[in-house]
Amino acid sequence: MPSHLMRPVREVGIAGYGAYVPRYRLPASEVGRMWEGSEAALPIREKSVAGLDEDVVTMSIEAGRNAVRRAGIDPSQIGAVWVGSESHPYAVKPTGTIVAEALGVSEYTLAADWQFACKAGTEALQAAIALTGSGMAEYALAIGMDIAQARPGDALEYTAGAGGAAIIMGPAEESIAILEGSVSFVTDTPDFWRRQHERYPQHGSRFTGEPAYFRHVAQAASDVFEALGTSADDYAHVVLHQPNQKFPSRAAAELGFRPEQVARGLLSNDIGNTYAGATMLGLTAILDQAKPGERVLAVSFGSGAGSDAFSFRVTDRVRERQYAAVTTRQYIERRVPIDYATYTRYRRQLAE
Amino acid sequence: MNAPHTWRQQAQRYLLEGVQCTACDHRMFPPRAVCTECGAASMRPHRFCGGGEVYSYSFVYHPPAGHEEFAPYPVALVRLDEGPLVAAQLTDVATDDVAIGLRVEMVTRRVREDSADGVIVYGYKFRPAIPPARR
Ligand SMILES: [Zn+2]
């Protein structure tokens, strides 16, 4: 069998990374109280909610600024600004150009938006690996960021959160974590979708578990294991896409990971499902405390459906960069609980 | 505010870009053609770091067009660390936490939106500074 592992001709790694999570939190108990009564089973504790003046552009700018600080580079050296999301503020007009200009990136840059449900951010990351790995650019910025949409009363309303992360790929010798290889695995699976001009997504509930999430995550991760000759024991930490607490916990266990390898990157109890932001944000939480030599496995999942899996090895440079910007945990702890009525205003659902 | 005018001010609004006098190094925001300190007329661009503190503040209950959905909201004169005073909206802050001397930092947020099908204007606001992380 040929290996499905991808590796660029020039060795690359994470030169800088940055997180962003808005400060408002809606407890799942508030959603339960509204629609199911106090006996509702809650998939997470609380989810993050963006403020009225925030959107994927503003959140990407803040995460991007944190990534530039950690990379310690002049932003004019960045050759691509790619934003993966399913909640871009414009249907037509790229988020990427606004973010690029706000970060002080040169006008001679690639800039575009990526779309693949919750995998849009890691798809942008794969492209950033290719662009830097080919030598077409010294640095490339990939962002996964979302303000997830959920119809009031839908099961998704408990978890649809807001947040994400930015990753700058660059030369391996300047990296915080060197890329060992990646795998992308996709199939045509109708588990979740939103048609043009529809405000809220639909989901085929029978499709969301086995044939969608678990199949793609497991396949991409085990292909990485096979190609690199690794197993769960070789990784200090793993982060999987996290639509709730249960799915990533079970998928990780099935891949042979112990709960302590999963814990640091599993944020859904605190902030919900940040969709295109989720896997990359979990990765930033791991990098914030990573030690040189540690291996980290990151596996995204996007409905529609597919997974990207990445194997990274942390370098000595991590220690000098970890505290060069606000940490993911600081954003998570900067929490202001709100009630369902305030949430309705912040999500602009009052005028419907 | 028409679209071309907004577009020309983007370096100011996105990057807090002002000017520094080439004669006496005095830094100004918004940019000026003549130095308010020494009168020289030679400037170079200067990006402010974004840190500062609240010099004075007020609350807006009857906002101008395009800002209605944010009301009520605090506005402040912020003393930037490099010296200039900047008028801006405060965000991510509880009413009771707004105070003279509050440490703030620049963030880029939605500043106004004239209609649901129009251009969204992004620009600087200030929020309570998140202190540096400690090991
Ligand atoms: Zn002067």
Side-chain angles (χ1 to χ4, degrees), chain A residues 51-103:
Chain A
L52 279 168
D53 60 358
E54 298 189 278
D55 62 22
V56 163
V57 166
T58 68
M59 293 160 58
S60 296
I61 290 169
E62 182 152 350
R65 284 185 180 136
N66 286 331
V68 168
R69 277 184 202 116
R70 282 206 179 87
I73 59 170
D74 178 344
S76 66
Q77 294 175 274
I78 293 172
V81 177
W82 285 328
V83 185
S85 180
E86 54 182 271
S87 47
H88 293 287
Y90 290 96
V92 177
K93 183 185 185 318
T95 300
T97 56
I98 312 172
V99 175
E101 200 152 320
L103 296 182

Side-chain angles (χ1 to χ4, degrees), chain B residues 21 24 35 38:
Chain B
C21 173
C24 76
C35 179
C38 76

Side-chain angles (χ1 to χ4, degrees), chain A residues 231-247:
Chain A
S231 71
D233 288 340
D234 296 310
Y235 292 87
H237 303 283
V238 62
V239 54
L240 305 182
H241 177 58
Q242 33 204 271
N244 48 39
Q245 287 286 110
K246 200 166 66 180
F247 277 28

